[in-house]
Amino acid sequence: MSRALRRAARHKGMWVGGVIVLVWVVLALLAVPLTGWSPGTVDPDLALDYQSLPPSWLRSVELPPDVEPRRFLAGTDDGGNDVLGRVLYGARYSLVIGFVAVAISVALGVPLGLVSGYYGGRLDGLIMRCLDVVMAFPTILLAIGIVTVLGQSLTNLMIAVGLVGVPGVARQLRAQVLVVRELEYVQAARALGAGHLRVLGLHVLPNCLAPIIVLATLGTATAILETAGLGFVGLGPEPGTPEWGLMISESRNLISRAPWAVITPGAAIVLLVLGFNLVGDGLRDVLDPRGRA
Amino acid sequence: MNGYVLQRLLGAVPVLFGVTVLAFLFVRMIPGDPARNIAGERANEEILAQVRRVHGLDEPLPAQYARFLGRIAQGDLGTSLQTNEPVTREIAARFPATIELTLCAVLLATVIGVALGIVASLRPGSVLDLVTMGGALVGVSLPVFCLGYVLIIAVGDHMPYAGRLDEGLRDGFAPRTPFYLVEALVRGEWAALRSVVAHLALPALALSTVPLAVVARITRSSMLEVLSQDYVRTARAKGLSRAAVVLRHALRNATIPIVTVLGVQTGYLLGGAVLTETVFAWPGLGRFVVTAIGERDYPAIQGGVLLFATTFVLVNLLVDVLYARLDPRVRLGGTS
């Protein structure tokens, strides 16, 4: 363990990723006091005056005389909203949806992978073939299908993104269980008369924790990307919600007039996903030095 | 070898079967009356009864499924609610566009990804390695639609970013097949070819980033492993040039994981095509399915999804066979 800690201390990429994620969490929490924007703060009468203003540091356009020179670091969108305010506020959606979705993937994928890898035989074959079928569908289409069947809502969005991640978790965990169940101490526990449930819960599962943690971290990155994709095709939260994918979709027709309204949420997605990917890659290096890829 | 191929083919049958079950259940699981889903919101009772009869919705589920399979076998995927054309015809007009786009993206990802991976593996820890791998990490973190818009903002004034061909060329070229790239090449229509390639460039580039980054990463790690092996040192000791050792001895063994990754990535590419085609107004199957979702055109969604999944299964079958050709241990039932 101490060796793993020493490796962790030296892993720069992981620390950079960790800081990025932490900063995003803080920004999401402080979005309103930092930018003064929250849903519904734009006065509909003033919205037109503030429509599609460029970022304040660009200032290439003269403001109308009666508009107070507020600072919009990332400009404003079509509805006169502060783009930066919406993006920071929108981090709440990405973070919460990402975490909940991964929790769903892990909660369903881990038992499936454990049972499949431990018992093997026909049950294993059946579970794996079913997962093959699910994995044959492109993830974004599968998520689209699930949202269509369940109905469009924030909860169902999380369920869809979570369900789509289940086969990946189950398969990787199964591979790990196949290795662990052959280890001598597991055989010894069986020989001592421990039941299957006890062996699974006390001996196999704890030795699969490292890959589960890595999978969950990298899975959060994927979940955030998929959420943005669903928001982009219009199956995410309802129109007007400051969800990043939806923001890009709603501003895409103004791309030549207000490119900042598309680029800022795009950059936000890349930064947050990159943070989780850095942490996930780092954790894999630290927890399982043999499994580098 | 033939035995292995046959075994893999048989293994794909239950998966394909499962795919049809899921696609079949999809339309039935949508809340509400399936007849109304098919006939549309404004259909009256008389039309609903007729739809139920025509589609056999009054029969039990297994009978309905058998009928559904029978129709697929005859190449009948129903009628699109948006256009009133057979779904198969709609798909046939659009899938080739998706295939051309996806294959170009795979080509870009493989060529650039393998080259970057090799370069990075030759000097691990160098600045070049860090920059390449850092870039690859950003690449896997990029949503394909974001990159699409960034490309449009950056070079949209100089490059076409919607459709497949200049409108002005449409009459002169008059494509007879939906495979514009191949057709322009075969017929020697150079102006058309230039236009087709220009239209393909941005969407293919956007679609290729994630697989490119994944291929670069896997190539690097795979090359690093191979380069440290004894036979590589022997080859160098014999006096062979570094380039010969890297390209002829090492890369050959390093390709095996790369091929596997490419197979897995096709699933991503087909899904990514859904978003890329929306950004670049690419008249392919992905955009068709997204539009169909907006219009609640269930037969079209079902047909499109079925085709996407079948393609994925078949491509992975192909990759497995290729894998066995490259690595005899696989087809001989070894441990690898």
Side-chain angles (χ1 to χ4, degrees):
Chain A
M1 192 64 207
S2 66
R3 215 190 298 161
L5 278 180
R6 238 176 294 141
R7 271 202 302 270
R10 269 180 312 185
H11 203 292
K12 288 195 203 93
M14 196 173 75
W15 287 105
V16 173
V19 169
I20 293 177
V21 172
L22 204 67
V23 167
W24 267 118
V25 171
V26 173
L27 286 177
L29 288 173
L30 299 180
V32 178
L34 275 179
T35 62
W37 186 91
S38 61
T41 46
V42 175
D43 186 345
D45 296 333
L46 288 175
L48 268 181
D49 292 340
Y50 285 108
Q51 198 179 31
S52 302
L53 295 179
S56 49
W57 46 273
L58 271 174
R59 189 69 62 198
S60 53
V61 178
E62 283 292 313
L63 286 175
D66 54 331
V67 172
E68 51 174 313
R70 280 164 55 183
R71 286 183 65 80
F72 297 115
L73 272 177
T76 61
D77 65 8
D78 195 30
N81 289 291
D82 178 13
V83 171
L84 188 66
R86 292 193 85 200
V87 165
L88 295 191
Y89 195 88
R92 299 179 183 190
Y93 288 91
S94 295
L95 285 167
V96 170
I97 296 172
F99 286 138
V100 173
V102 163
I104 294 173
S105 309
V106 170
L108 294 176
V110 166
L112 276 177
L114 273 181
V115 166
S116 193
Y118 184 75
Y119 290 105
R122 281 220 190 123
L123 185 63
D124 178 34
L126 183 71
I127 294 179
M128 282 302 122
R129 288 300 82 72
C130 287
L131 293 182
D132 280 346
V133 171
V134 176
M135 285 179 101
F137 294 86
T139 47
I140 191 87
L141 275 183
L142 195 61
I144 287 173
I146 296 173
V147 173
T148 314
V149 167
L150 294 180
Q152 196 175 340
S153 77
L154 212 55
T155 319
N156 291 341
L157 176 68
M158 295 188 225
I159 295 175
V161 176
L163 285 180
V164 163
V166 170
V169 174
R171 281 192 146 195
Q172 298 232 22
L173 200 72
R174 172 179 174 270
Q176 175 77 6
V177 173
L178 285 179
V179 175
V180 172
R181 76 163 185 195
E182 299 302 329
L183 295 179
E184 278 170 5
Y185 75 94
V186 174
Q187 304 288 327
R190 286 290 297 149
L192 284 172
H196 286 302
L197 264 183
R198 189 182 167 85
V199 172
L200 265 179
L202 280 181
H203 300 287
V204 177
L205 185 61
N207 274 287
C208 298
L209 275 183
I212 294 175
I213 294 170
V214 174
L215 276 173
T217 318
L218 293 173
T220 312
T222 316
I224 293 170
L225 279 176
E226 273 156 13
T227 305
L230 283 175
F232 177 72
V233 293
L235 285 172
E238 55 188 282
T241 311
E243 193 276 323
W244 293 340
L246 185 64
M247 287 176 72
I248 294 176
S249 166
E250 286 177 338
S251 299
R252 64 179 155 165
N253 293 328
L254 302 159
I255 197 160
S256 48
R257 219 176 74 211
W260 48 85
V262 171
I263 291 178
T264 318
I269 300 174
V270 175
L271 258 178
L272 183 58
V273 173
L274 183 67
F276 279 107
N277 273 333
L278 278 169
V279 175
D281 273 5
L283 282 174
R284 183 171 49 206
D285 290 349
V286 168
L287 295 173
D288 181 16
R290 286 155 303 160
R292 282 163 192 257
Chain B
M1 186 70 196
N2 286 337
Y4 177 77
V5 173
L6 192 70
Q7 183 198 332
R8 292 295 307 149
L9 259 175
L10 288 177
V13 171
V15 176
L16 283 175
F17 182 72
V19 164
T20 58
V21 172
L22 217 59
F24 167 78
L25 285 179
F26 165 70
V27 174
R28 269 82 191 163
M29 283 191 298
I30 293 166
D33 179 1
R36 188 167 288 281
N37 284 339
I38 293 171
E41 292 297 324
R42 274 163 290 182
N44 58 28
E45 268 310 312
E46 202 178 323
I47 295 177
L48 286 181
Q50 197 191 342
V51 165
R52 274 189 205 104
R53 220 174 25 253
V54 170
H55 290 261
L57 289 170
D58 37 9
E59 296 171 37
L61 268 187
Q64 287 186 38
Y65 175 69
R67 190 200 263 262
F68 171 72
L69 267 192
R71 286 196 174 168
I72 294 179
Q74 294 166 27
D76 178 8
L77 290 171
T79 307
S80 163
L81 304 179
Q82 310 164 77
T83 59
N84 269 325
E85 293 277 325
V87 171
T88 35
R89 194 178 304 164
E90 297 284 348
I91 288 177
R94 290 176 174 87
F95 197 40
T98 301
I99 295 176
E100 275 193 355
L101 174 62
T102 315
L103 283 183
C104 284
V106 169
L107 195 72
L108 277 177
T110 317
V111 173
I112 305 176
V114 168
L116 286 180
I118 292 177
V119 167
S121 73
L122 293 182
R123 288 176 202 278
S126 68
V127 177
L128 198 63
D129 180 30
L130 282 178
V131 170
T132 318
M133 287 305 113
L137 202 60
V138 175
V140 285
S141 310
L142 260 175
V144 55
F145 54 96
C146 274
L147 182 65
Y149 286 122
V150 170
L151 285 174
I152 291 176
I153 293 171
V155 292
D157 292 342
H158 314 288
M159 295 278 287
Y161 55 83
R164 299 179 70 188
L165 189 65
D166 282 329
E167 277 308 314
L169 283 166
R170 191 163 288 278
D171 294 331
F173 177 46
R176 270 163 273 175
T177 64
F179 290 97
Y180 289 8
L181 188 64
V182 181
E183 193 182 331
L185 205 64
V186 170
R187 282 169 52 187
E189 296 267 5
W190 305 123
L193 183 67
R194 210 173 304 131
S195 170
V196 170
V197 170
H199 280 80
L200 256 171
L202 293 187
L205 191 64
L207 185 56
S208 73
T209 27
V210 172
L212 194 160
V214 175
V215 167
R217 282 163 62 128
I218 202 83
T219 304
R220 176 183 178 269
S221 67
S222 176
M223 281 295 285
L224 277 180
E225 201 178 316
V226 173
L227 281 175
S228 68
Q229 283 179 13
D230 288 341
Y231 79 93
V232 170
R233 200 179 316 134
T234 311
R236 282 289 283 158
K238 276 198 315 189
L240 287 180
S241 73
R242 195 173 161 86
V245 172
V246 168
L247 294 178
R248 219 172 305 146
H249 291 74
L251 185 60
R252 210 184 180 135
N253 272 327
T255 33
I256 294 164
I258 302 172
V259 168
T260 322
V261 157
L262 276 174
V264 177
Q265 286 298 311
T266 40
Y268 169 80
L269 278 168
L270 290 170
V274 173
L275 299 172
T276 314
E277 289 177 1
T278 308
V279 173
F280 290 100
W282 188 260
L285 187 59
R287 184 153 157 260
F288 177 66
V289 172
V290 171
T291 323
I293 290 163
E295 300 287 325
R296 309 216 163 261
D297 183 353
Y298 297 116
I301 304 175
Q302 194 176 41
V305 166
L306 200 60
L307 190 59
F308 269 126
T310 311
T311 313
F312 179 76
V313 174
L314 294 182
V315 168
N316 273 285
L317 191 67
L318 201 71
V319 167
D320 277 351
V321 171
L322 198 63
Y323 191 59
R325 272 207 97 84
L326 286 170
D327 189 349
R329 285 172 299 184
V330 175
R331 59 173 184 267
L332 297 175
T335 46
S336 183

